[in-house]
Amino acid sequence: MTSLDREELVPLKECLDELLDFIRELQIEEIPYFYRCLENMKYNLETCFLVRYEGWEQMELILMRDWSAANHAQIGISGFDFSADSAAEKAELDCRFIELIANIEGFLRK
């Protein structure tokens, strides 16, 4: 991850918001483990914006730590599955989920 400035992290926060909203709208019985990691990322970014934190190198390490936790092999993003009423709806939701994950990955893998 290359060094990002404050303006580049605003779109990352927006991507996290979109993904969190998507998961909440699925109306699943139990919030997945990785959801908390994504929330931590979002809240850490919001806090840094509010206090005008300038230690972006440290923030990047924290974001990567939380992203790694969200991608835990057994209980992370890759293990998340949800149901849908039809195969077509499931495929559409899967594609949207992958797109939202890819958007975040795009910021963190620069």
Side-chain angles (χ1 to χ4, degrees), residues 30-35 37 67-81:
E30 187 176 328
I31 298 294
Y33 163 81
F34 68 85
Y35 186 91
C37 301
W67 184 247
S68 292
N71 283 282
H72 186 277
Q74 296 173 338
I75 54 177
I77 291 170
S78 63
F80 182 58
D81 193 27

mmCIF file with all atom_site columns, all heavy atoms in Angstrom, residues 30-35 37 67-81:
data_model
loop_
_atom_site.group_PDB
_atom_site.id
_atom_site.type_symbol
_atom_site.label_atom_id
_atom_site.label_alt_id
_atom_site.label_comp_id
_atom_site.label_asym_id
_atom_site.label_entity_id
_atom_site.label_seq_id
_atom_site.pdbx_PDB_ins_code
_atom_site.Cartn_x
_atom_site.Cartn_y
_atom_site.Cartn_z
_atom_site.occupancy
_atom_site.B_iso_or_equiv
_atom_site.pdbx_formal_charge
_atom_site.auth_seq_id
_atom_site.auth_comp_id
_atom_site.auth_asym_id
_atom_site.auth_atom_id
_atom_site.pdbx_PDB_model_num
ATOM 1   N N   . GLU A 1 30 ? -27.594 -13.280 11.610 1.00 0.00 ? 30 GLU A N   1
ATOM 2   C CA  . GLU A 1 30 ? -26.428 -12.981 12.436 1.00 0.00 ? 30 GLU A CA  1
ATOM 3   C C   . GLU A 1 30 ? -25.415 -12.173 11.629 1.00 0.00 ? 30 GLU A C   1
ATOM 4   O O   . GLU A 1 30 ? -25.061 -12.548 10.515 1.00 0.00 ? 30 GLU A O   1
ATOM 5   C CB  . GLU A 1 30 ? -25.784 -14.278 12.936 1.00 0.00 ? 30 GLU A CB  1
ATOM 6   C CG  . GLU A 1 30 ? -24.677 -14.065 13.916 1.00 0.00 ? 30 GLU A CG  1
ATOM 7   C CD  . GLU A 1 30 ? -24.139 -15.373 14.456 1.00 0.00 ? 30 GLU A CD  1
ATOM 8   O OE1 . GLU A 1 30 ? -24.904 -16.328 14.582 1.00 0.00 ? 30 GLU A OE1 1
ATOM 9   O OE2 . GLU A 1 30 ? -22.932 -15.417 14.743 1.00 0.00 ? 30 GLU A OE2 1
ATOM 10  N N   . ILE A 1 31 ? -24.966 -11.087 12.209 1.00 0.00 ? 31 ILE A N   1
ATOM 11  C CA  . ILE A 1 31 ? -23.962 -10.251 11.551 1.00 0.00 ? 31 ILE A CA  1
ATOM 12  C C   . ILE A 1 31 ? -22.667 -11.057 11.460 1.00 0.00 ? 31 ILE A C   1
ATOM 13  O O   . ILE A 1 31 ? -22.206 -11.627 12.460 1.00 0.00 ? 31 ILE A O   1
ATOM 14  C CB  . ILE A 1 31 ? -23.714 -8.957  12.362 1.00 0.00 ? 31 ILE A CB  1
ATOM 15  C CG1 . ILE A 1 31 ? -24.979 -8.114  12.445 1.00 0.00 ? 31 ILE A CG1 1
ATOM 16  C CG2 . ILE A 1 31 ? -22.573 -8.144  11.774 1.00 0.00 ? 31 ILE A CG2 1
ATOM 17  C CD1 . ILE A 1 31 ? -25.450 -7.545  11.132 1.00 0.00 ? 31 ILE A CD1 1
ATOM 18  N N   . PRO A 1 32 ? -22.044 -11.120 10.283 1.00 0.00 ? 32 PRO A N   1
ATOM 19  C CA  . PRO A 1 32 ? -20.810 -11.901 10.143 1.00 0.00 ? 32 PRO A CA  1
ATOM 20  C C   . PRO A 1 32 ? -19.644 -11.278 10.898 1.00 0.00 ? 32 PRO A C   1
ATOM 21  O O   . PRO A 1 32 ? -19.606 -10.062 11.128 1.00 0.00 ? 32 PRO A O   1
ATOM 22  C CB  . PRO A 1 32 ? -20.559 -11.898 8.633  1.00 0.00 ? 32 PRO A CB  1
ATOM 23  C CG  . PRO A 1 32 ? -21.323 -10.751 8.103  1.00 0.00 ? 32 PRO A CG  1
ATOM 24  C CD  . PRO A 1 32 ? -22.472 -10.521 9.025  1.00 0.00 ? 32 PRO A CD  1
ATOM 25  N N   . TYR A 1 33 ? -18.702 -12.102 11.269 1.00 0.00 ? 33 TYR A N   1
ATOM 26  C CA  . TYR A 1 33 ? -17.511 -11.672 12.016 1.00 0.00 ? 33 TYR A CA  1
ATOM 27  C C   . TYR A 1 33 ? -16.816 -10.494 11.337 1.00 0.00 ? 33 TYR A C   1
ATOM 28  O O   . TYR A 1 33 ? -16.476 -9.507  11.982 1.00 0.00 ? 33 TYR A O   1
ATOM 29  C CB  . TYR A 1 33 ? -16.539 -12.854 12.152 1.00 0.00 ? 33 TYR A CB  1
ATOM 30  C CG  . TYR A 1 33 ? -15.146 -12.433 12.538 1.00 0.00 ? 33 TYR A CG  1
ATOM 31  C CD1 . TYR A 1 33 ? -14.833 -12.158 13.867 1.00 0.00 ? 33 TYR A CD1 1
ATOM 32  C CD2 . TYR A 1 33 ? -14.150 -12.290 11.574 1.00 0.00 ? 33 TYR A CD2 1
ATOM 33  C CE1 . TYR A 1 33 ? -13.564 -11.753 14.224 1.00 0.00 ? 33 TYR A CE1 1
ATOM 34  C CE2 . TYR A 1 33 ? -12.883 -11.878 11.932 1.00 0.00 ? 33 TYR A CE2 1
ATOM 35  C CZ  . TYR A 1 33 ? -12.589 -11.611 13.251 1.00 0.00 ? 33 TYR A CZ  1
ATOM 36  O OH  . TYR A 1 33 ? -11.330 -11.200 13.591 1.00 0.00 ? 33 TYR A OH  1
ATOM 37  N N   . PHE A 1 34 ? -16.607 -10.578 10.050 1.00 0.00 ? 34 PHE A N   1
ATOM 38  C CA  . PHE A 1 34 ? -15.817 -9.565  9.357  1.00 0.00 ? 34 PHE A CA  1
ATOM 39  C C   . PHE A 1 34 ? -16.474 -8.191  9.343  1.00 0.00 ? 34 PHE A C   1
ATOM 40  O O   . PHE A 1 34 ? -15.810 -7.180  9.154  1.00 0.00 ? 34 PHE A O   1
ATOM 41  C CB  . PHE A 1 34 ? -15.479 -10.004 7.927  1.00 0.00 ? 34 PHE A CB  1
ATOM 42  C CG  . PHE A 1 34 ? -16.658 -10.065 7.003  1.00 0.00 ? 34 PHE A CG  1
ATOM 43  C CD1 . PHE A 1 34 ? -17.096 -8.933  6.333  1.00 0.00 ? 34 PHE A CD1 1
ATOM 44  C CD2 . PHE A 1 34 ? -17.329 -11.261 6.800  1.00 0.00 ? 34 PHE A CD2 1
ATOM 45  C CE1 . PHE A 1 34 ? -18.182 -8.990  5.477  1.00 0.00 ? 34 PHE A CE1 1
ATOM 46  C CE2 . PHE A 1 34 ? -18.410 -11.321 5.947  1.00 0.00 ? 34 PHE A CE2 1
ATOM 47  C CZ  . PHE A 1 34 ? -18.843 -10.184 5.285  1.00 0.00 ? 34 PHE A CZ  1
ATOM 48  N N   . TYR A 1 35 ? -17.781 -8.143  9.566  1.00 0.00 ? 35 TYR A N   1
ATOM 49  C CA  . TYR A 1 35 ? -18.510 -6.879  9.588  1.00 0.00 ? 35 TYR A CA  1
ATOM 50  C C   . TYR A 1 35 ? -17.906 -5.933  10.625 1.00 0.00 ? 35 TYR A C   1
ATOM 51  O O   . TYR A 1 35 ? -17.748 -4.744  10.377 1.00 0.00 ? 35 TYR A O   1
ATOM 52  C CB  . TYR A 1 35 ? -19.983 -7.153  9.891  1.00 0.00 ? 35 TYR A CB  1
ATOM 53  C CG  . TYR A 1 35 ? -20.876 -5.944  9.808  1.00 0.00 ? 35 TYR A CG  1
ATOM 54  C CD1 . TYR A 1 35 ? -21.511 -5.626  8.616  1.00 0.00 ? 35 TYR A CD1 1
ATOM 55  C CD2 . TYR A 1 35 ? -21.102 -5.125  10.911 1.00 0.00 ? 35 TYR A CD2 1
ATOM 56  C CE1 . TYR A 1 35 ? -22.355 -4.523  8.517  1.00 0.00 ? 35 TYR A CE1 1
ATOM 57  C CE2 . TYR A 1 35 ? -21.935 -4.029  10.828 1.00 0.00 ? 35 TYR A CE2 1
ATOM 58  C CZ  . TYR A 1 35 ? -22.555 -3.727  9.630  1.00 0.00 ? 35 TYR A CZ  1
ATOM 59  O OH  . TYR A 1 35 ? -23.373 -2.629  9.542  1.00 0.00 ? 35 TYR A OH  1
ATOM 60  N N   . CYS A 1 37 ? -14.864 -5.839  11.691 1.00 0.00 ? 37 CYS A N   1
ATOM 61  C CA  . CYS A 1 37 ? -13.564 -5.351  11.208 1.00 0.00 ? 37 CYS A CA  1
ATOM 62  C C   . CYS A 1 37 ? -13.760 -4.188  10.232 1.00 0.00 ? 37 CYS A C   1
ATOM 63  O O   . CYS A 1 37 ? -13.015 -3.200  10.280 1.00 0.00 ? 37 CYS A O   1
ATOM 64  C CB  . CYS A 1 37 ? -12.785 -6.476  10.528 1.00 0.00 ? 37 CYS A CB  1
ATOM 65  S SG  . CYS A 1 37 ? -12.461 -7.882  11.605 1.00 0.00 ? 37 CYS A SG  1
ATOM 66  N N   . TRP A 1 67 ? -8.232  -5.021  7.662  1.00 0.00 ? 67 TRP A N   1
ATOM 67  C CA  . TRP A 1 67 ? -8.603  -5.676  6.409  1.00 0.00 ? 67 TRP A CA  1
ATOM 68  C C   . TRP A 1 67 ? -8.157  -7.135  6.424  1.00 0.00 ? 67 TRP A C   1
ATOM 69  O O   . TRP A 1 67 ? -8.884  -8.022  5.980  1.00 0.00 ? 67 TRP A O   1
ATOM 70  C CB  . TRP A 1 67 ? -8.004  -4.923  5.227  1.00 0.00 ? 67 TRP A CB  1
ATOM 71  C CG  . TRP A 1 67 ? -8.424  -5.485  3.912  1.00 0.00 ? 67 TRP A CG  1
ATOM 72  C CD1 . TRP A 1 67 ? -7.638  -6.108  2.989  1.00 0.00 ? 67 TRP A CD1 1
ATOM 73  C CD2 . TRP A 1 67 ? -9.754  -5.474  3.349  1.00 0.00 ? 67 TRP A CD2 1
ATOM 74  N NE1 . TRP A 1 67 ? -8.376  -6.491  1.902  1.00 0.00 ? 67 TRP A NE1 1
ATOM 75  C CE2 . TRP A 1 67 ? -9.678  -6.111  2.097  1.00 0.00 ? 67 TRP A CE2 1
ATOM 76  C CE3 . TRP A 1 67 ? -10.971 -4.994  3.790  1.00 0.00 ? 67 TRP A CE3 1
ATOM 77  C CZ2 . TRP A 1 67 ? -10.794 -6.275  1.279  1.00 0.00 ? 67 TRP A CZ2 1
ATOM 78  C CZ3 . TRP A 1 67 ? -12.083 -5.161  2.976  1.00 0.00 ? 67 TRP A CZ3 1
ATOM 79  C CH2 . TRP A 1 67 ? -11.986 -5.790  1.742  1.00 0.00 ? 67 TRP A CH2 1
ATOM 80  N N   . SER A 1 68 ? -6.960  -7.392  6.958  1.00 0.00 ? 68 SER A N   1
ATOM 81  C CA  . SER A 1 68 ? -6.480  -8.775  7.069  1.00 0.00 ? 68 SER A CA  1
ATOM 82  C C   . SER A 1 68 ? -7.394  -9.585  7.982  1.00 0.00 ? 68 SER A C   1
ATOM 83  O O   . SER A 1 68 ? -7.718  -10.735 7.687  1.00 0.00 ? 68 SER A O   1
ATOM 84  C CB  . SER A 1 68 ? -5.053  -8.805  7.608  1.00 0.00 ? 68 SER A CB  1
ATOM 85  O OG  . SER A 1 68 ? -4.170  -8.266  6.668  1.00 0.00 ? 68 SER A OG  1
ATOM 86  N N   . ALA A 1 69 ? -7.827  -8.982  9.090  1.00 0.00 ? 69 ALA A N   1
ATOM 87  C CA  . ALA A 1 69 ? -8.745  -9.675  10.003 1.00 0.00 ? 69 ALA A CA  1
ATOM 88  C C   . ALA A 1 69 ? -10.082 -9.950  9.320  1.00 0.00 ? 69 ALA A C   1
ATOM 89  O O   . ALA A 1 69 ? -10.675 -11.011 9.517  1.00 0.00 ? 69 ALA A O   1
ATOM 90  C CB  . ALA A 1 69 ? -8.952  -8.841  11.268 1.00 0.00 ? 69 ALA A CB  1
ATOM 91  N N   . ALA A 1 70 ? -10.562 -9.012  8.509  1.00 0.00 ? 70 ALA A N   1
ATOM 92  C CA  . ALA A 1 70 ? -11.828 -9.201  7.793  1.00 0.00 ? 70 ALA A CA  1
ATOM 93  C C   . ALA A 1 70 ? -11.723 -10.322 6.764  1.00 0.00 ? 70 ALA A C   1
ATOM 94  O O   . ALA A 1 70 ? -12.728 -10.926 6.393  1.00 0.00 ? 70 ALA A O   1
ATOM 95  C CB  . ALA A 1 70 ? -12.243 -7.907  7.100  1.00 0.00 ? 70 ALA A CB  1
ATOM 96  N N   . ASN A 1 71 ? -10.515 -10.605 6.326  1.00 0.00 ? 71 ASN A N   1
ATOM 97  C CA  . ASN A 1 71 ? -10.300 -11.644 5.319  1.00 0.00 ? 71 ASN A CA  1
ATOM 98  C C   . ASN A 1 71 ? -9.766  -12.942 5.911  1.00 0.00 ? 71 ASN A C   1
ATOM 99  O O   . ASN A 1 71 ? -9.139  -13.737 5.209  1.00 0.00 ? 71 ASN A O   1
ATOM 100 C CB  . ASN A 1 71 ? -9.344  -11.124 4.242  1.00 0.00 ? 71 ASN A CB  1
ATOM 101 C CG  . ASN A 1 71 ? -10.048 -10.189 3.299  1.00 0.00 ? 71 ASN A CG  1
ATOM 102 O OD1 . ASN A 1 71 ? -10.770 -10.627 2.415  1.00 0.00 ? 71 ASN A OD1 1
ATOM 103 N ND2 . ASN A 1 71 ? -9.875  -8.898  3.504  1.00 0.00 ? 71 ASN A ND2 1
ATOM 104 N N   . HIS A 1 72 ? -10.032 -13.170 7.180  1.00 0.00 ? 72 HIS A N   1
ATOM 105 C CA  . HIS A 1 72 ? -9.630  -14.413 7.841  1.00 0.00 ? 72 HIS A CA  1
ATOM 106 C C   . HIS A 1 72 ? -10.128 -15.594 7.012  1.00 0.00 ? 72 HIS A C   1
ATOM 107 O O   . HIS A 1 72 ? -11.265 -15.593 6.519  1.00 0.00 ? 72 HIS A O   1
ATOM 108 C CB  . HIS A 1 72 ? -10.220 -14.448 9.254  1.00 0.00 ? 72 HIS A CB  1
ATOM 109 C CG  . HIS A 1 72 ? -9.758  -15.594 10.062 1.00 0.00 ? 72 HIS A CG  1
ATOM 110 N ND1 . HIS A 1 72 ? -10.336 -16.836 9.976  1.00 0.00 ? 72 HIS A ND1 1
ATOM 111 C CD2 . HIS A 1 72 ? -8.762  -15.700 10.972 1.00 0.00 ? 72 HIS A CD2 1
ATOM 112 C CE1 . HIS A 1 72 ? -9.724  -17.659 10.802 1.00 0.00 ? 72 HIS A CE1 1
ATOM 113 N NE2 . HIS A 1 72 ? -8.771  -16.991 11.430 1.00 0.00 ? 72 HIS A NE2 1
ATOM 114 N N   . ALA A 1 73 ? -9.300  -16.595 6.865  1.00 0.00 ? 73 ALA A N   1
ATOM 115 C CA  . ALA A 1 73 ? -9.597  -17.718 5.969  1.00 0.00 ? 73 ALA A CA  1
ATOM 116 C C   . ALA A 1 73 ? -10.897 -18.446 6.317  1.00 0.00 ? 73 ALA A C   1
ATOM 117 O O   . ALA A 1 73 ? -11.625 -18.876 5.418  1.00 0.00 ? 73 ALA A O   1
ATOM 118 C CB  . ALA A 1 73 ? -8.440  -18.702 5.975  1.00 0.00 ? 73 ALA A CB  1
ATOM 119 N N   . GLN A 1 74 ? -11.204 -18.599 7.590  1.00 0.00 ? 74 GLN A N   1
ATOM 120 C CA  . GLN A 1 74 ? -12.366 -19.404 7.963  1.00 0.00 ? 74 GLN A CA  1
ATOM 121 C C   . GLN A 1 74 ? -13.611 -18.582 8.283  1.00 0.00 ? 74 GLN A C   1
ATOM 122 O O   . GLN A 1 74 ? -14.722 -19.027 8.018  1.00 0.00 ? 74 GLN A O   1
ATOM 123 C CB  . GLN A 1 74 ? -12.020 -20.288 9.159  1.00 0.00 ? 74 GLN A CB  1
ATOM 124 C CG  . GLN A 1 74 ? -10.950 -21.298 8.824  1.00 0.00 ? 74 GLN A CG  1
ATOM 125 C CD  . GLN A 1 74 ? -10.487 -22.055 10.050 1.00 0.00 ? 74 GLN A CD  1
ATOM 126 O OE1 . GLN A 1 74 ? -10.643 -21.601 11.171 1.00 0.00 ? 74 GLN A OE1 1
ATOM 127 N NE2 . GLN A 1 74 ? -9.910  -23.218 9.820  1.00 0.00 ? 74 GLN A NE2 1
ATOM 128 N N   . ILE A 1 75 ? -13.435 -17.415 8.874  1.00 0.00 ? 75 ILE A N   1
ATOM 129 C CA  . ILE A 1 75 ? -14.606 -16.651 9.313  1.00 0.00 ? 75 ILE A CA  1
ATOM 130 C C   . ILE A 1 75 ? -14.648 -15.258 8.681  1.00 0.00 ? 75 ILE A C   1
ATOM 131 O O   . ILE A 1 75 ? -15.370 -14.383 9.147  1.00 0.00 ? 75 ILE A O   1
ATOM 132 C CB  . ILE A 1 75 ? -14.647 -16.539 10.857 1.00 0.00 ? 75 ILE A CB  1
ATOM 133 C CG1 . ILE A 1 75 ? -13.340 -15.973 11.396 1.00 0.00 ? 75 ILE A CG1 1
ATOM 134 C CG2 . ILE A 1 75 ? -14.988 -17.866 11.483 1.00 0.00 ? 75 ILE A CG2 1
ATOM 135 C CD1 . ILE A 1 75 ? -13.318 -15.751 12.896 1.00 0.00 ? 75 ILE A CD1 1
ATOM 136 N N   . GLY A 1 76 ? -13.933 -15.089 7.605  1.00 0.00 ? 76 GLY A N   1
ATOM 137 C CA  . GLY A 1 76 ? -13.864 -13.790 6.961  1.00 0.00 ? 76 GLY A CA  1
ATOM 138 C C   . GLY A 1 76 ? -14.730 -13.672 5.726  1.00 0.00 ? 76 GLY A C   1
ATOM 139 O O   . GLY A 1 76 ? -15.651 -14.456 5.501  1.00 0.00 ? 76 GLY A O   1
ATOM 140 N N   . ILE A 1 77 ? -14.405 -12.696 4.935  1.00 0.00 ? 77 ILE A N   1
ATOM 141 C CA  . ILE A 1 77 ? -15.178 -12.366 3.741  1.00 0.00 ? 77 ILE A CA  1
ATOM 142 C C   . ILE A 1 77 ? -15.328 -13.554 2.798  1.00 0.00 ? 77 ILE A C   1
ATOM 143 O O   . ILE A 1 77 ? -16.415 -13.799 2.284  1.00 0.00 ? 77 ILE A O   1
ATOM 144 C CB  . ILE A 1 77 ? -14.526 -11.160 3.022  1.00 0.00 ? 77 ILE A CB  1
ATOM 145 C CG1 . ILE A 1 77 ? -14.703 -9.898  3.880  1.00 0.00 ? 77 ILE A CG1 1
ATOM 146 C CG2 . ILE A 1 77 ? -15.100 -10.967 1.632  1.00 0.00 ? 77 ILE A CG2 1
ATOM 147 C CD1 . ILE A 1 77 ? -13.899 -8.709  3.411  1.00 0.00 ? 77 ILE A CD1 1
ATOM 148 N N   . SER A 1 78 ? -14.257 -14.293 2.591  1.00 0.00 ? 78 SER A N   1
ATOM 149 C CA  . SER A 1 78 ? -14.316 -15.405 1.630  1.00 0.00 ? 78 SER A CA  1
ATOM 150 C C   . SER A 1 78 ? -15.262 -16.515 2.069  1.00 0.00 ? 78 SER A C   1
ATOM 151 O O   . SER A 1 78 ? -15.779 -17.256 1.234  1.00 0.00 ? 78 SER A O   1
ATOM 152 C CB  . SER A 1 78 ? -12.918 -15.972 1.401  1.00 0.00 ? 78 SER A CB  1
ATOM 153 O OG  . SER A 1 78 ? -12.409 -16.521 2.605  1.00 0.00 ? 78 SER A OG  1
ATOM 154 N N   . GLY A 1 79 ? -15.525 -16.627 3.363  1.00 0.00 ? 79 GLY A N   1
ATOM 155 C CA  . GLY A 1 79 ? -16.432 -17.661 3.855  1.00 0.00 ? 79 GLY A CA  1
ATOM 156 C C   . GLY A 1 79 ? -17.869 -17.205 3.985  1.00 0.00 ? 79 GLY A C   1
ATOM 157 O O   . GLY A 1 79 ? -18.734 -17.981 4.384  1.00 0.00 ? 79 GLY A O   1
ATOM 158 N N   . PHE A 1 80 ? -18.131 -15.955 3.627  1.00 0.00 ? 80 PHE A N   1
ATOM 159 C CA  . PHE A 1 80 ? -19.474 -15.403 3.789  1.00 0.00 ? 80 PHE A CA  1
ATOM 160 C C   . PHE A 1 80 ? -20.390 -15.897 2.679  1.00 0.00 ? 80 PHE A C   1
ATOM 161 O O   . PHE A 1 80 ? -20.045 -15.883 1.510  1.00 0.00 ? 80 PHE A O   1
ATOM 162 C CB  . PHE A 1 80 ? -19.415 -13.878 3.765  1.00 0.00 ? 80 PHE A CB  1
ATOM 163 C CG  . PHE A 1 80 ? -20.730 -13.203 3.973  1.00 0.00 ? 80 PHE A CG  1
ATOM 164 C CD1 . PHE A 1 80 ? -21.474 -13.429 5.116  1.00 0.00 ? 80 PHE A CD1 1
ATOM 165 C CD2 . PHE A 1 80 ? -21.225 -12.325 3.030  1.00 0.00 ? 80 PHE A CD2 1
ATOM 166 C CE1 . PHE A 1 80 ? -22.686 -12.784 5.327  1.00 0.00 ? 80 PHE A CE1 1
ATOM 167 C CE2 . PHE A 1 80 ? -22.429 -11.673 3.226  1.00 0.00 ? 80 PHE A CE2 1
ATOM 168 C CZ  . PHE A 1 80 ? -23.158 -11.902 4.379  1.00 0.00 ? 80 PHE A CZ  1
ATOM 169 N N   . ASP A 1 81 ? -21.563 -16.355 3.070  1.00 0.00 ? 81 ASP A N   1
ATOM 170 C CA  . ASP A 1 81 ? -22.552 -16.805 2.105  1.00 0.00 ? 81 ASP A CA  1
ATOM 171 C C   . ASP A 1 81 ? -23.919 -16.358 2.593  1.00 0.00 ? 81 ASP A C   1
ATOM 172 O O   . ASP A 1 81 ? -24.184 -16.332 3.788  1.00 0.00 ? 81 ASP A O   1
ATOM 173 C CB  . ASP A 1 81 ? -22.512 -18.329 1.949  1.00 0.00 ? 81 ASP A CB  1
ATOM 174 C CG  . ASP A 1 81 ? -23.281 -18.805 0.741  1.00 0.00 ? 81 ASP A CG  1
ATOM 175 O OD1 . ASP A 1 81 ? -23.416 -18.028 -0.232 1.00 0.00 ? 81 ASP A OD1 1
ATOM 176 O OD2 . ASP A 1 81 ? -23.768 -19.947 0.772  1.00 0.00 ? 81 ASP A OD2 1
#
